[in-house]
Amino acid sequence: MADKNPVHPDLAGLFEAQRGKLQGVAYRMLGSKAEAEDAVQEAWLRLSRTDANEISNLGGWLTTVVSRVCLDMLRSRKTRGEEELGEEPLPAVSSTLAPAPPANPEEEMRLADSVGLALMIVLERLAPAERVAFVLHDMFDMPFEEIAPVVGRTPDATRQLASRARRRVQGSDDPPEVRREANRKIIEAFLAASRSGDMTALLAVLDPDVVVTGDAVAARGLGGQSEVRGADTVAALFKGRAQNAKPALLDGEVGIVVAPQGRLFLAVRFRIENGRIAEMSGIGDPAQLAALDIAEFD
């Protein structure tokens, strides 16, 4: 019986032309040549099931697919405590496309050298979404508007992910536990001042040019505004509020969650500079909340 969805030979050739870039993207995200090849193979399988005539930018489409596959693999790796991924092998690649050569230690070392061993070690310490955002933006010049759907964030939140990752890669961050504890104290001071309505204390923890943004759901708490600027305006906005808010780790960074009776309906990310809150980003969209890696403090 004929294949209902035959793969045109030209499509296989176009894919092969992208293989090198896709392998580079996947390796930098996963740090393993074998897993990178699995991710690239999965992208081919998805492409072979797709009407290529509907894809206007094949390179961008493939990069997005590989990135999403890698993000899923990184998250699975984290939740399984670094167990080996893929207990069942991916389906065999279509006969119209030659499989990648098997991995070997020498090739693994060559790839590691091309990226930089020190960089690969630092990348291993990043949260999955941070790693994906950093690799796609800083290494492959993908705009944040295109990265955002991959990591399930807004473009602004994606920019923050890449920024945090960049600071860690450049070695400008304090040790994570030191930075988190310092940021936690600042955010707790903000919450205490907000609850008590202490304007002086609120202004003390806010950068003069602080910016507060929110998605469509979170903006309801901003009086319908998607953006609020300036310490005076932001302090007035939060005066007497935050009664149900508490600090939590959002993708490894200190933020706040609002979850009365245990039901999460708002999370807020923070950017803190020079001991003051420079930016807050509210997340209320259920899909984006579900994508967050949230851990409560003891």
Side-chain angles (χ1 to χ4, degrees), residues 158-187:
T158 304
R159 184 178 290 105
Q160 291 180 31
L161 286 176
S163 178
R164 284 201 302 271
R166 191 178 306 115
R167 290 196 299 272
R168 294 182 185 182
V169 169
Q170 293 172 347
S172 60
D173 270 355
D174 291 325
E177 62 276 8
V178 174
R179 186 190 67 255
R180 281 195 292 264
E181 184 59 27
N183 289 349
R184 178 182 180 178
K185 290 179 179 178
I186 293 168
I187 291 171

Side-chain angles (χ1 to χ4, degrees), residues 7-19 21-22 43-44 46-66 97 142 146:
V7 178
H8 195 283
D10 288 348
L11 187 60
L14 291 171
F15 181 86
E16 281 296 339
Q18 297 287 331
R19 184 193 281 274
K21 176 186 176 182
L22 299 175
W44 163 251
R46 296 186 187 187
L47 177 63
S48 67
R49 304 187 196 109
T50 303
D51 184 357
N53 294 322
E54 297 180 356
I55 302 174
S56 59
N57 180 353
L58 182 63
W61 188 90
L62 287 169
T63 300
T64 297
V65 170
V66 165
L97 183 68
M142 183 179 287
E146 294 180 18

